[in-house]
Amino acid sequence: MEDKLIIRGIEFKSRLWVGTGKYKDFEETKTVIEASGADVVTVSVRRVNITDRKSENLLDYIDPKKYKILPNTAGCYTVEDALRYSRLAREAGVSDLVKLEVIGDEKTLFPDTIGLLKATEILAKEGFIVLPYTNDDPIMAKRLEDAGAAAVMPLGAPIGSGLGIRNPYNIRIIIETAVKVPVVVDAGVGTASDAAVAMELGCDAVLINTGIAGAKDPVAMASAMKHAVIAGRLAYLAGRIPKKLYATASSPLEGMLL
């Protein structure tokens, strides 16, 4: 089945993207990424050393020739900080891609959408391939696309909550009517069924960190998420049957023996 994910001319082999936070060490991070089958790996520019190649570095364990490194601006609460760390990652030769976060609230980690929109517009004009982490508001998704976002990344639920896709209807509206760019669910996926639901809605990819890193067996969960994303995408392409209140016989009534 010809079903490729392409963002700004970049082809992605896997629709499961994974984060690198909360693992016990770089070795476990590497093992989990391999088990996930992902080819996109997100890295916090503020929290993980990826720019100083003279000391132990996450990129010593993750081959940039094999994986697409997606720097993110996690922990940035201002437009200025988000711009600074995006530029730092590019100047260090990491990537023109950036998962853009401008956080508006320390407790919920919900995005500051006004700041996010401003930062998206600035970085897009500077040639970045901007993937903004946003809420599940279709209007904001459209505004981010208009500002130059290469994809939009609406949350399924608050970061690290594991609550799954809390508003599937808004996600569907974003996919079906609000934007033409790819949609990647980011945040809230807690287990494999959540990932499958996201893909069955028509999302182009799912980004998962805590749902894997926080599992009792992160390697096994990474494998489960891989298969869930594949199954969910195939189910979406296959087209589910309509939901009905009453039963419909599986076998035709014609030709029945009486």
Side-chain angles (χ1 to χ4, degrees):
M1 185 179 295
E2 188 73 11
D3 180 42
K4 296 181 179 180
L5 172 56
I6 300 175
I7 300 177
R8 291 286 168 84
I10 303 172
E11 183 177 327
F12 300 87
K13 297 178 181 178
S14 173
R15 292 178 183 270
L16 171 60
W17 299 2
V18 294
T20 54
K22 303 182 180 180
Y23 293 102
K24 63 182 181 181
D25 53 35
F26 288 154
E27 194 61 49
E28 181 181 59
T29 307
K30 177 183 177 182
T31 304
V32 165
I33 293 170
E34 290 173 348
S36 74
D39 63 338
V40 176
V41 179
T42 68
V43 181
S44 171
V45 184
R46 291 197 68 172
R47 297 170 178 161
V48 178
N49 171 31
I50 58 171
T51 57
D52 181 7
R53 301 298 177 86
K54 296 180 181 179
S55 58
E56 187 179 33
N57 192 301
L58 179 61
L59 298 187
D60 294 333
Y61 295 81
I62 302 173
D63 185 358
K65 295 179 181 178
K66 182 178 179 181
Y67 300 102
K68 295 176 178 66
I69 308 301
L70 177 58
N72 71 60
T73 59
C76 292
Y77 286 80
T78 66
V79 172
E80 292 72 24
D81 275 354
L83 296 177
R84 181 182 306 115
Y85 285 101
S86 298
R87 291 163 179 160
L88 178 63
R90 182 162 75 173
E91 289 168 5
V94 178
S95 181
D96 288 332
L97 288 162
V98 60
K99 179 199 163 188
L100 182 63
E101 296 185 33
V102 181
I103 301 301
D105 178 67
E106 187 174 356
K107 184 175 182 179
T108 63
L109 300 180
F110 284 143
D112 171 1
T113 53
I114 295 174
L116 181 68
L117 185 62
K118 181 178 179 181
T120 297
E121 186 173 12
I122 292 170
L123 291 174
K125 288 180 178 178
E126 293 181 8
F128 282 87
I129 301 172
V130 186
L131 313 176
Y133 161 71
T134 184
N135 57 21
D136 57 9
D137 177 9
I139 305 303
M140 181 53 63
K142 176 59 178 171
R143 289 183 176 176
L144 288 166
E145 179 184 40
D146 292 343
V152 292
M153 303 182 73
L155 55 84
I159 293 173
S161 68
L163 290 173
I165 311 301
R166 305 314 302 160
N167 196 339
Y169 307 105
N170 272 23
I171 299 294
R172 279 191 61 188
I173 292 170
I174 291 172
I175 294 166
E176 294 177 7
T177 66
V179 301
K180 296 180 180 178
V181 295
V183 176
V184 181
V185 158
D186 177 16
V189 172
T191 191
S193 58
D194 299 333
V197 166
M199 299 307 296
E200 288 173 8
L201 289 171
C203 292
D204 294 279
V206 178
L207 172 57
I208 306 171
N209 189 173
T210 307
I212 296 175
K216 292 182 179 179
D217 186 338
V219 176
M221 184 60 79
S223 180
M225 294 294 192
K226 175 180 71 173
H227 293 293
V229 167
I230 292 170
R233 181 64 180 177
L234 286 173
Y236 169 73
L237 295 175
R240 65 158 295 138
I241 64 170
K243 293 182 180 180
K244 298 179 182 179
L245 183 59
Y246 299 104
T248 302
S250 300
S251 302
L253 298 178
E254 294 79 6
M256 289 184 63
L257 296 176
L258 300 177

